Amino acid sequence: MSDPSTATHLDPTSTQDAVELLGLIAYTELASFTRLAADAASAPDPARQLRLVRLAGAALARQERILGRIAELGGDPDAAMLAFAGTFDDYEMRTEPASWWESVLKGYVGNGVADDFCRLAVDGLDAETRRIVTEVLDANQNAELSVAVLDEAATGDPVLASRLALWGRRLVGEALGLVQTLMGERPALGRLVATGATARADDVDGDQAWVFSQLTAEHTRRMGRLGLAA
Amino acid sequence: MSDPSTATHLDPTSTQDAVELLGLIAYTELASFTRLAADAASAPDPARQLRLVRLAGAALARQERILGRIAELGGDPDAAMLAFAGTFDDYEMRTEPASWWESVLKGYVGNGVADDFCRLAVDGLDAETRRIVTEVLDANQNAELSVAVLDEAATGDPVLASRLALWGRRLVGEALGLVQTLMGERPALGRLVATGATARADDVDGDQAWVFSQLTAEHTRRMGRLGLAA
């Protein structure tokens, strides 16, 4: 197997895998856009509305950046993204937020898990695609706003804080279930994770159990940033 | 009065008027963003969803361009825009669409009237602001998509076509009512329209009756593009 970190010539299989992961990332950004725009429309005040609108715009910009890379790899950008249409429907239905705060936390947890999963798969990509994806993931400022508004709200309201902690556990369970489904349906994702894991450490094979342990550990850290128990 | 088309030095009054109009335009783009994002979320298929999402992104880009000009004129961009927060609430409540098509037509008619009003006021602005606003208005591709989807739908369905024609009349009535309210509450807008009208033609004073006749004529043309009677 070629070392993906130095590959300049991509074999067709790994390119197809890359396009598949990029399609998923782009679709995730599209879903983020939709959620942020809806949260903006129901924000408690115009200033917060505007912040969320701008985050939605940034999600769209990230989507387009990813689609640009799909085009460079010879794929059909919109088709690769829309191949994932409906992927989150079941997750969405099972995690209908009961309040604006729950919706914000849902974005924080859901995007967090999605980003962490992408970071695990990214090491299986060619160097240039990895650079772009990492840049896109690093540019995501959603978490900062979520932490600010949720921390502020939860600090002053212990009842809200404990409800949100419970909601966070529900969300991460559903998100991990979604990852499991996706890895089952899309072997390319598992191949990228395994390639990346092997490239990083000899004694890690990047199987599903390892993926789950990584995602769970990151989720615990993430909830800690809100002062909430995972 | 200085000729606004050649003014390089702006007097403080006209700058304040310009900032007020720019705030309204930016807020209109923010409202477009919100509507387009909501239409995207309930679009009948992923391809149309994506087109609407991209139009929403373009509305946001136009908003930011206008806010940039407010900053250049020494105004507070977000404050100037959010000064109009709530302006459309009454209009929105009175024009709740009953279907996706009605929502698309609502955007087409509402944005059309808003853009036409801005084009009447734009001649009262300094040359650079006018250039930017005209560029922003010209860049708006929403109407093209609306015409495409509505024309396609109405051609094959005479019942839908006649319901949409009725809906269009209702919408323009409400939109003109909103213009009347705005011009009453914001004397700056009337001043800009009057300045612009006088600059264009000696025998036009740009009063409200003239504004309404202009907006109505444009609306009739616009409905004609859909093959619907105004």
Side-chain angles (χ1 to χ4, degrees):
Chain A
M1 192 185 323
S2 67
D3 176 355
S5 68
T6 57
T8 50
H9 234 66
L10 307 174
D11 69 70
T13 319
S14 69
T15 301
Q16 274 176 27
D17 287 0
V19 165
E20 205 160 324
L21 178 64
L22 291 169
L24 172 61
I25 296 173
Y27 189 72
T28 305
E29 295 294 357
L30 181 60
S32 288
F33 171 90
T34 302
R35 188 186 53 75
L36 288 163
D39 285 351
S42 61
D45 56 72
R48 266 181 285 204
Q49 178 194 3
L50 188 52
R51 285 166 77 182
L52 286 161
V53 162
R54 287 184 170 135
L55 289 178
L60 184 57
R62 291 193 301 274
Q63 173 204 294
E64 301 294 12
R65 179 99 173 88
I66 294 293
L67 294 184
R69 181 57 182 164
I70 292 177
E72 285 169 12
L73 290 173
D76 177 336
D78 289 3
M81 174 169 68
L82 295 182
F84 287 93
T87 294
F88 302 150
D89 288 0
D90 188 47
Y91 169 78
E92 293 295 345
M93 250 179 33
R94 297 162 73 96
T95 57
E96 189 76 47
S99 70
W100 191 76
W101 306 109
E102 287 195 5
S103 183
V104 173
L105 183 60
K106 178 177 168 178
Y108 179 67
V109 170
N111 285 341
V113 171
D115 285 4
D116 289 338
F117 178 75
C118 289
R119 283 182 200 278
L120 296 179
V122 85
D123 287 329
L125 294 170
D126 66 277
E128 176 61 7
T129 305
R130 184 168 62 236
R131 192 186 65 72
I132 291 169
V133 170
T134 305
E135 197 181 287
V136 160
L137 294 175
D138 289 346
N140 191 336
Q141 300 296 308
N142 299 0
E144 276 61 42
L145 176 62
S146 303
V147 169
V149 301
L150 290 170
D151 188 34
E152 190 183 37
T155 302
D157 187 341
V159 175
L160 179 64
S162 84
R163 284 184 54 185
L164 288 178
L166 196 65
W167 177 239
R169 284 192 282 280
R170 169 96 178 282
L171 288 168
V172 76
E174 295 290 346
L176 293 176
L178 177 56
V179 169
Q180 188 170 28
T181 304
L182 264 173
M183 286 184 79
E185 288 173 356
R186 305 276 180 165
L189 303 177
R191 277 196 297 272
L192 289 168
V193 170
T195 308
T198 312
R200 275 196 309 266
D202 276 343
D203 57 344
V204 168
D205 60 2
D207 65 1
Q208 211 174 75
W210 177 80
V211 168
F212 275 39
S213 72
Q214 298 295 109
L215 295 180
T216 306
E218 285 303 326
H219 172 72
T220 303
R221 269 190 283 277
R222 198 176 302 116
M223 295 299 278
R225 286 183 64 198
L226 300 180
L228 298 178
Chain B
M1 194 186 322
S2 67
D3 175 356
S5 69
T6 56
T8 51
H9 235 66
L10 307 174
D11 67 71
T13 317
S14 68
T15 301
Q16 275 176 26
D17 287 0
V19 166
E20 206 160 324
L21 178 64
L22 291 169
L24 172 62
I25 296 173
Y27 189 72
T28 304
E29 296 294 357
L30 181 60
S32 286
F33 170 90
T34 303
R35 188 187 52 75
L36 289 163
D39 285 351
S42 61
D45 57 72
R48 267 183 284 206
Q49 177 194 5
L50 187 52
R51 285 166 78 184
L52 286 161
V53 161
R54 285 183 171 136
L55 290 177
L60 184 57
R62 292 195 300 274
Q63 173 205 293
E64 301 293 13
R65 178 99 173 88
I66 294 291
L67 294 183
R69 181 58 182 164
I70 292 177
E72 285 169 12
L73 291 173
D76 178 337
D78 289 3
M81 174 170 67
L82 296 182
F84 287 92
T87 293
F88 301 151
D89 288 0
D90 189 46
Y91 169 80
E92 294 294 347
M93 249 179 35
R94 298 162 71 97
T95 57
E96 190 75 49
S99 70
W100 191 75
W101 306 109
E102 287 194 6
S103 183
V104 173
L105 183 60
K106 178 177 168 178
Y108 179 66
V109 171
N111 285 341
V113 171
D115 285 4
D116 290 337
F117 178 75
C118 290
R119 282 182 201 278
L120 296 179
V122 84
D123 288 329
L125 294 169
D126 66 278
E128 176 61 6
T129 306
R130 185 167 62 235
R131 193 186 65 73
I132 291 169
V133 170
T134 305
E135 196 180 288
V136 160
L137 294 175
D138 290 346
N140 191 336
Q141 300 296 308
N142 299 0
E144 276 61 42
L145 176 62
S146 303
V147 169
V149 300
L150 291 170
D151 189 33
E152 190 182 37
T155 301
D157 187 340
V159 175
L160 179 65
S162 83
R163 284 183 55 186
L164 288 177
L166 196 68
W167 177 239
R169 285 193 282 280
R170 168 94 180 285
L171 288 168
V172 76
E174 296 290 347
L176 292 176
L178 177 56
V179 169
Q180 188 170 27
T181 305
L182 264 174
M183 286 184 77
E185 288 174 356
R186 304 277 180 165
L189 303 176
R191 277 196 297 272
L192 289 168
V193 170
T195 307
T198 312
R200 274 197 309 266
D202 277 343
D203 57 343
V204 169
D205 59 3
D207 65 0
Q208 213 175 73
W210 177 81
V211 168
F212 274 39
S213 71
Q214 299 294 110
L215 295 180
T216 307
E218 287 301 327
H219 172 72
T220 303
R221 270 191 281 276
R222 198 176 301 117
M223 294 299 277
R225 287 183 64 197
L226 300 180
L228 298 177

